[in-house]
Amino acid sequence: MQLKKKIAELERARENATTYTEWEQLGMELDALTGLDLWKLDNTSPDYNYELIHERLVSLRTLQEQNHTRELMRSLREGLHHDLGNMGNPALYCRAYVGTKRLIEEYVDQVCSALNYIRAQPSGVVPFDEKMRFFEDTSRSFGQPSLMLSGGATLGLFHIGVCKALQEQGLLPKVISGSSAGSIMAAMIGSHTDDEMQAMYEGEGWYSDAWRWQSPIRGLMGEGFADQKQLETFLRRNIGEYSFEEAFERTGRHVNVTVSPVHEHQKSRLMNELTSPYLLLWSAVLASCAVPVLFPPVTLTTKNEDGDYLPYMPRERWVDGSVKSDLPRERLMHLYNVNYFIAVQVNPHIVPFMESDKRRLERRFMSWPKRVVREELKFHGAGLMNFLRTQVSHEATRQLLGHAYTILAQRYYGDVTIAPRRYSLEHFRHMLAEPNVDRWTWFRLQGERATWPRIAMIRTHTRISETLTDSIQILHKQRSRRREDQLRVVSSRGPRPTGTE
């Protein structure tokens, strides 16, 4: 009885934790009290190939300890694969309060240690160009993670807590996409340096006053029920006047913003430094936030060589990115070699119907009928909406039917999905309210608390790719310094005397 009381007290304290360190420490105490730390030490489980992972761990550790650098490089090139032995199976991360099987954590630690060991080898052991080629080829074959932020109006402030929690653990992906409200957070993160982001997480320099309602008459006339100029001012103050290319050069983060076309003969677009380098970031976000009826469609703005602003595809207008591409998985896979998706879902019409990983993956026979009915309704509902939207000519009706179709047809889960545990009336009250500092802080803490239980799973998938990316950046800097030193030596010798050979 005393043990149950102690466990309940720790669980309540963990629910109210304000930092990841506090939350993790309480979880470790709970694992010790409940005996789950013994489960973590036991390698065996039907949920993953523990024998394969143990074999690879021992092999890599032995090669590194014996300084067999060449063999270690060959072993990593041949055997380093994403989600080896199904070690990212969500079932392995739903059991303990913190973490997963110790074997998985040791394997990831060893791979990262081996990569850092190879990077640190002198040119006499591994020539620099060969080392660079090893890391670039390995990174390309292994892939990288992506963070996808959904729409959700002011509920999108939840995203800032997720990003804060990930960055504090060194797990914030370099590839970030956002639609509608999610595009605001993606653009802010993609246009602020690491030092600036620390202040941003606290709400410093945060400009509010995003919403201002217009008269109902203007809304009924098709000009939108909210003032789009006010939203534009808000975005330009918080994001800046950067193009996608300029933002990437400033932060090294690949920001992606989804926008949807008004006309049926145009497809949704994923704007980034590759597909639209000169497009102004705030302009794409303004279009992605143009929820039909609330805001009118947007003509995008680009920047020419002289820095002048010009219309981008003047004949086309764009609206809310979440209408057709809330979480653009396939496009990110092709453009950035993404192999792992962290989805953050806050849409009020999606979150109440989402299932936990444990429920989605359950294998009980009695759960089959409900799951079959759910999938059938979704499939046939999407088919009906798709048929109806092709049969009507009225623009507003077609857009609404198209929105309904994509709600049913899109995939809202990632390899890891982070979402509020529940929506209360308090959340819906905030949904279209001004995003002030108090709401910023309230939603940020909720985002952090929802992310902490996912840290172990995210670390398993992303830490190796982050180590590869960091190693490539370090090697590029070393190459630049070497070239600068060579130029400095040549210039210090001065011009050769006339007539010498």
Side-chain angles (χ1 to χ4, degrees):
M1 195 68 179
Q2 193 68 25
L3 178 60
K4 288 184 177 179
K5 183 178 179 181
K6 179 64 174 176
I7 291 173
E9 289 176 354
L10 289 173
E11 287 180 336
R12 282 195 299 271
R14 195 164 179 257
E15 287 286 322
N16 296 314
T18 56
T19 67
Y20 178 72
T21 302
E22 179 187 1
W23 181 90
E24 183 181 39
Q25 183 61 45
L26 290 166
M28 291 171 67
E29 290 183 41
L30 283 163
D31 282 336
L33 280 174
T34 57
L36 287 170
D37 52 356
L38 298 177
W39 175 84
K40 290 189 282 189
L41 293 173
D42 179 11
N43 295 340
T44 63
S45 171
D47 294 318
Y48 76 123
N49 191 339
Y50 56 89
E51 293 174 332
L52 172 64
I53 294 174
H54 182 265
E55 179 185 340
R56 288 287 298 161
L57 170 63
V58 172
S59 174
L60 294 174
R61 182 179 289 162
T62 302
L63 290 172
Q64 183 175 339
E65 288 175 349
Q66 296 179 356
N67 294 319
H68 294 322
T69 306
R70 293 283 180 181
E71 291 87 341
L72 183 61
M73 292 172 68
R74 291 181 66 87
S75 180
L76 287 169
R77 284 293 292 121
E78 291 178 344
L80 187 58
H81 299 289
H82 175 67
D83 203 16
L84 180 72
N86 200 28
M87 65 181 185
N89 185 348
L92 294 165
Y93 301 84
C94 299
R95 187 77 177 271
Y97 284 92
V98 177
T100 184
K101 294 289 188 180
R102 181 59 186 156
L103 174 63
I104 294 174
E105 296 172 349
E106 288 180 349
Y107 172 74
V108 173
D109 287 344
Q110 179 55 51
V111 170
C112 294
S113 174
L115 292 171
N116 289 327
Y117 166 84
I118 293 168
R119 191 195 70 224
Q121 292 302 300
S123 297
V125 178
V126 183
F128 184 87
D129 289 341
E130 183 181 345
K131 190 190 301 183
M132 176 66 82
R133 187 166 59 252
F134 163 81
F135 278 101
E136 289 178 341
D137 290 346
T138 305
S139 179
R140 190 175 298 111
S141 66
F142 189 80
Q144 65 176 321
S146 172
L147 178 66
M148 302 185 297
L149 308 176
S150 79
T154 302
L155 299 175
L157 291 174
F158 179 91
H159 296 318
I160 206 69
V162 176
C163 295
K164 180 176 183 288
L166 292 177
Q167 188 173 36
E168 286 177 346
Q169 299 304 311
L171 300 174
L172 183 64
K174 297 289 191 298
V175 179
I176 304 173
S177 75
S179 63
S180 196
S183 70
I184 299 176
M185 293 303 165
M188 287 183 63
I189 291 166
S191 59
H192 286 72
T193 63
D194 288 345
D195 291 339
E196 292 169 342
M197 284 173 66
Q198 297 309 312
M200 184 187 73
Y201 289 141
E202 299 303 320
E204 295 178 21
W206 167 254
Y207 299 97
S208 57
D209 301 322
W211 305 105
R212 187 168 64 196
W213 299 103
Q214 298 192 121
S215 68
I217 295 175
R218 299 187 68 176
L220 293 171
M221 291 175 63
E223 298 179 22
F225 288 93
D227 186 350
Q228 195 169 67
K229 195 64 182 177
Q230 180 74 17
L231 177 61
E232 178 183 327
T233 301
F234 167 83
L235 295 175
R236 297 176 77 166
R237 284 179 174 174
N238 283 289
I239 297 170
E241 299 293 322
Y242 303 106
S243 66
F244 277 94
E245 185 178 65
E246 291 167 342
F248 171 70
E249 290 172 352
R250 189 169 194 265
T251 67
R253 283 182 271 272
H254 305 277
V255 181
N256 294 261
V257 175
T258 60
V259 295
S260 302
V262 169
H263 299 299
E264 61 177 322
H265 298 299
Q266 182 65 270
K267 293 184 178 181
S268 60
R269 295 289 185 91
L270 187 66
M271 305 300 194
N272 51 52
E273 85 283 358
L274 298 176
T275 62
S276 48
Y278 318 121
L279 186 70
L280 287 164
L281 191 52
W282 64 258
S283 173
V285 174
L286 184 66
S288 193
C289 291
V291 179
V293 181
L294 191 61
F295 293 107
V298 172
T299 300
L300 296 170
T301 304
T302 189
K303 185 188 292 188
N304 66 15
E305 285 186 283
D306 298 323
D308 299 325
Y309 292 0
L310 301 170
Y312 173 86
M313 299 181 67
R315 292 181 178 273
E316 297 294 336
R317 293 184 302 160
W318 308 85
V319 295
D320 186 359
S322 65
V323 169
K324 292 192 175 181
S325 187
D326 195 42
L327 304 177
R329 294 171 61 99
E330 291 187 11
R331 194 73 174 123
L332 292 173
M333 287 173 64
H334 294 312
L335 286 173
Y336 297 105
N337 192 30
V338 172
N339 64 1
Y340 185 70
F341 294 91
I342 305 168
V344 188
Q345 184 57 255
V346 299
N347 267 312
H349 57 280
I350 300 298
V351 171
F353 305 101
M354 296 184 74
E355 297 179 297
S356 66
D357 288 338
K358 190 173 183 179
R359 178 167 293 182
R360 281 194 304 121
L361 298 170
E362 67 179 351
R363 301 174 183 174
R364 291 187 306 107
F365 177 76
M366 295 302 293
S367 70
W368 291 10
K370 182 179 178 181
R371 290 161 63 187
V372 168
V373 171
R374 183 189 182 99
E375 291 302 315
E376 283 296 310
L377 287 174
K378 182 178 176 181
F379 175 78
H380 291 295
L384 177 62
M385 293 301 108
N386 189 36
F387 170 77
L388 291 175
R389 70 174 181 157
T390 62
Q391 302 303 308
V392 300
S393 57
H394 187 263
E395 185 67 27
T397 304
R398 187 171 56 80
Q399 283 190 39
L400 288 173
L401 289 170
H403 201 166
Y405 163 71
T406 52
I407 287 173
L408 293 170
Q410 286 188 59
R411 180 178 176 181
Y412 291 99
Y413 294 93
D415 297 288
V416 168
T417 304
I418 302 171
R421 283 174 293 182
R422 65 186 70 87
Y423 270 158
S424 63
L425 291 176
E426 184 76 1
H427 286 85
F428 290 104
R429 187 175 68 82
H430 287 306
M431 190 170 70
L432 292 178
E434 283 286 357
N436 58 32
V437 174
D438 289 338
R439 290 191 180 91
W440 177 279
T441 305
W442 190 71
F443 277 108
R444 186 196 66 200
L445 185 56
Q446 290 194 33
E448 290 181 85
R449 286 174 174 164
T451 305
W452 294 337
R454 299 285 190 261
I455 290 293
M457 197 190 312
I458 294 170
R459 182 179 285 118
T460 296
H461 284 279
T462 65
R463 195 171 156 219
I464 293 173
S465 61
E466 290 297 311
T467 301
L468 287 165
T469 300
D470 291 344
S471 295
I472 292 172
Q473 291 178 345
I474 291 171
L475 291 173
H476 275 301
K477 290 178 181 178
Q478 289 179 359
R479 174 182 282 172
S480 297
R481 285 198 296 269
R482 287 175 59 189
R483 288 174 176 171
E484 290 173 0
D485 291 341
Q486 290 172 353
L487 289 172
R488 194 177 298 111
V489 169
V490 171
S491 62
S492 66
R493 291 174 179 171
R496 297 175 63 185
T498 304
T500 59
E501 296 182 0

